[in-house]
Amino acid sequence: MMHFADSLTFSGRKVVAAWAALPFPALSGSSLPDILSAHQQDVPWKLLSSWREQKVSCCFAQSVVLRGICQEKSTSCPGQPRSPLHSCESPEQVLQQFFHAQFPGAFSTFHVLQQPCDTRPPFPQFFSPLLTRRGFLQDKAQGYSSGGVESIPVLAALQSSPGLHRLLSGLCRELRAPNVRRWSSFFMAGVEQDDFQEALEELKTLSQCYETGFGASEDEEDSD
């Protein structure tokens, strides 16, 4: 995972954020272009990393993986106009066009796997009764419990984005707040004061690698 994250980082950056749609909100019988056309305004995933942001409008680099969506014929649903996504020849091209529109200029890689994520026990059974056994959405609840969901489609990504500046600068601020000189056990463990301060400066420098110039003044106030 460390080497994979390294492939998405450059210009001094070392950290990526994880996102996932678990399960990917797909209606039963819909093709990938149909599904993504319904989410043109926002990517249908949630942040898994520890930071307050729940939406990212731009990123430097990303790797996106979709699994469990069959390569069905790209035809739009009744009453829904055809989108440019329906003209793509492969699922990878659909993802590429969709995410290039969401994050223009970002370095991106896309992978599509037909095999869904296995959710049979001991996988936690926290699913909605609106899911079919294969993890697709339906209008009415199924007659079995959520424990009957055997697999789900998943959309996941690792992203290097400007939002990580807030996460790293906030961590740096929290580490500066306590007076570590008063914690004798802290230094009895072998940590030197100079090494600790050097690590804080490296963390601050790392956070600055994620700045883009937009909203920099606010971020600088947070890090002071």
Side-chain angles (χ1 to χ4, degrees):
M1 182 60 73
M2 181 177 64
H3 295 300
F4 184 47
D6 285 344
S7 67
L8 298 175
T9 54
F10 42 85
S11 300
R13 304 180 189 112
K14 301 179 180 179
V15 180
V16 293
W19 299 79
L22 190 77
F24 181 51
L27 290 172
S28 181
S30 297
S31 67
L32 182 58
D34 294 335
I35 299 165
L36 292 180
S37 294
H39 296 279
Q40 292 284 3
Q41 301 302 317
D42 195 12
V43 181
W45 56 25
K46 298 294 184 182
L47 181 67
L48 303 182
S49 302
S50 271
W51 130 59
R52 293 174 297 177
E53 302 285 341
Q54 288 297 318
K55 183 178 180 180
V56 171
S57 58
C58 66
C59 70
F60 305 117
Q62 62 183 346
S63 179
V64 181
V65 176
L66 174 67
R67 57 185 300 177
I69 300 295
C70 297
Q71 300 186 29
E72 300 179 24
K73 187 177 180 181
S74 299
T75 56
S76 56
C77 295
Q80 180 182 13
R82 286 181 60 85
S83 71
L85 297 178
H86 290 85
S87 301
C88 297
E89 297 181 355
S90 67
E92 287 82 2
Q93 289 183 0
V94 174
L95 286 181
Q96 181 178 12
Q97 183 157 326
F98 176 79
F99 281 98
H100 281 179
Q102 296 286 336
F103 306 105
F107 169 76
S108 305
T109 62
F110 306 98
H111 305 278
V112 177
L113 306 176
Q114 291 191 19
Q115 183 179 5
C117 178
D118 188 358
T119 57
R120 289 171 294 186
F123 195 95
Q125 298 299 311
F126 47 66
F127 302 109
S128 165
L130 294 177
L131 291 184
T132 66
R133 293 186 183 276
R134 294 180 57 226
F136 290 93
L137 291 170
Q138 290 202 147
D139 295 332
K140 296 182 179 180
Q142 302 297 299
Y144 50 82
S145 67
S146 61
V149 178
E150 299 177 353
S151 65
I152 56 172
V154 176
L155 177 68
L158 292 181
Q159 275 189 346
S160 172
S161 69
L164 287 165
H165 169 68
R166 286 186 175 273
L167 171 66
L168 297 172
S169 60
L171 176 59
C172 185
R173 184 174 59 253
E174 291 180 6
L175 290 173
R176 289 182 186 276
N179 183 3
V180 294
R181 293 179 181 276
R182 300 174 58 182
W183 299 353
S184 58
S185 59
F186 187 79
F187 295 102
M188 287 175 60
V191 179
E192 298 291 340
Q193 177 69 24
D194 291 342
D195 293 338
F196 179 72
Q197 293 301 324
E198 182 180 355
L200 286 180
E201 290 302 317
E202 291 178 353
L203 182 59
K204 180 179 179 180
T205 299
L206 177 60
S207 72
Q208 293 171 346
C209 292
Y210 291 86
E211 290 182 313
T212 60
F214 299 102
S217 59
E218 180 182 353
D219 290 339
E220 288 171 0
E221 290 177 1
D222 290 343
S223 62
D224 287 343

